[in-house]
Amino acid sequence: VKIVEQQFEPSLNRMRYTPFEEGHLVSCGLDNIHLWRLKKVRDKHELRRIVLPLGPHGNQSFLDLAFEGSLGSADVLARKVYACTASGLVYQINYTNRVVDQIYR
């Protein structure tokens, strides 16, 4: 069943539903990590995008995503997204605050 039609940048490498909130996704690609929300508008669904600010750390090719936390978890600060890069770095992202917490080598 097709829920929504959306055009994506050619640099999209991975998109996954989050385990934290229904209808929310995270994507990564060349120089970007985006947070998405599936929203019903009138008779159709739309994807709304939030660009994660990476600042000077954004010049990377992000390849894959992983999550720490679960749907309905009481501790919203424990919700983490991990994004790995082609250069071997792992970015730890605070999902609730929408910021990069740590970068691991």
Side-chain angles (χ1 to χ4, degrees):
V1 174
K2 180 174 150 181
I3 296 175
V4 65
E5 184 174 317
Q6 180 80 26
Q7 232 178 349
F8 294 101
E9 299 171 11
S11 67
L12 179 70
N13 288 330
R14 181 77 64 218
M15 180 175 253
R16 296 185 187 275
Y17 280 98
T18 71
F20 315 128
E21 299 177 282
E22 290 184 31
H24 288 240
L25 302 99
V26 180
S27 69
C28 65
L30 183 61
D31 301 332
N32 68 72
I33 299 172
H34 295 147
L35 308 172
W36 302 84
R37 179 173 57 116
L38 189 60
K39 182 176 181 179
K40 187 167 184 173
V41 178
R42 295 184 189 87
D43 295 354
K44 62 180 184 172
H45 288 87
E46 294 180 358
L47 273 175
R48 302 286 171 96
R49 178 177 69 169
I50 298 170
V51 177
L52 187 74
L54 299 172
H57 308 291
N59 192 18
Q60 296 285 335
S61 178
F62 294 95
L63 302 177
D64 206 356
L65 300 162
F67 301 94
E68 180 180 348
S70 62
L71 182 64
S73 172
D75 186 5
V76 295
L77 296 178
R79 296 175 177 174
K80 304 291 182 192
V81 178
Y82 296 91
C84 66
T85 69
S87 62
L89 299 175
V90 176
Y91 283 54
Q92 177 183 301
I93 299 151
N94 182 310
Y95 180 81
T96 303
N97 296 333
R98 314 291 203 245
V99 295
V100 175
D101 280 342
Q102 297 283 331
I103 301 173
Y104 299 100
R105 288 192 180 269

